[in-house]
Amino acid sequence: MRDPQPAGVRRPALLGAEARKIMLGIALITLVLFGQQLYGRATAAGRLDPALAGAPGPHHVIVVLDFMPDRFHNERIAEYGVFAGRDGALSRIRLRNVGDESLARLAAVAWVARIEPWK
């Protein structure tokens, strides 16, 4: 089969230089806006203790953070269950009555290090 264009003739680019810059800008803005949520969802299974994965809810859990939480973090975590204090360190937060759906959403929060069962 023959190539429809003779040798040495360049095909026009699908997108011009300006269109590529705009597309790159849109991709970067999307990454900034949604990157943390996408990363959190992609790595959520690694944060959840295997004992919690198949167990029926509601769950009593300990949310472990790798940093000292501020008021924002405490309030955000309390949205997923009933705040029940600390588990030794300030970065270990106890939650009661965390439903299955809330547990999955909590595991998708990118700044949560681990979610362990509260025994």
Side-chain angles (χ1 to χ4, degrees), residues 8-90:
V9 176
R10 300 183 85 193
R11 293 184 180 161
L14 184 62
L15 294 175
E18 292 300 316
R20 284 194 299 266
K21 288 180 186 177
I22 291 172
M23 295 302 288
L24 180 62
I26 290 171
L28 288 174
I29 290 170
T30 302
L31 183 64
V32 168
L33 291 177
F34 301 108
Q36 189 174 17
Q37 289 98 348
L38 292 173
Y39 173 77
R41 288 183 183 159
T43 58
R47 287 186 195 86
L48 196 57
D49 190 276
L52 294 169
H59 306 279
H60 302 310
V61 298
I62 298 172
V63 180
V64 181
L65 306 175
D66 286 337
F67 56 91
M68 295 305 289
D70 292 326
R71 181 177 176 182
F72 165 80
H73 302 102
N74 293 329
E75 290 173 355
R76 236 352 252 288
I77 289 173
E79 292 175 0
Y80 299 99
V82 179
F83 180 80
R86 307 287 178 185
D87 187 56
L90 290 175

Side-chain angles (χ1 to χ4, degrees), residues 52 56-63 82 84 93-99 103 115-119:
L52 294 169
H59 306 279
H60 302 310
V61 298
I62 298 172
V63 180
V82 179
I93 301 168
R94 293 178 182 169
L95 286 181
R96 291 179 180 262
N97 299 329
V98 180
L103 188 63
I115 301 174
E116 304 170 347
W118 179 10
K119 298 174 183 172

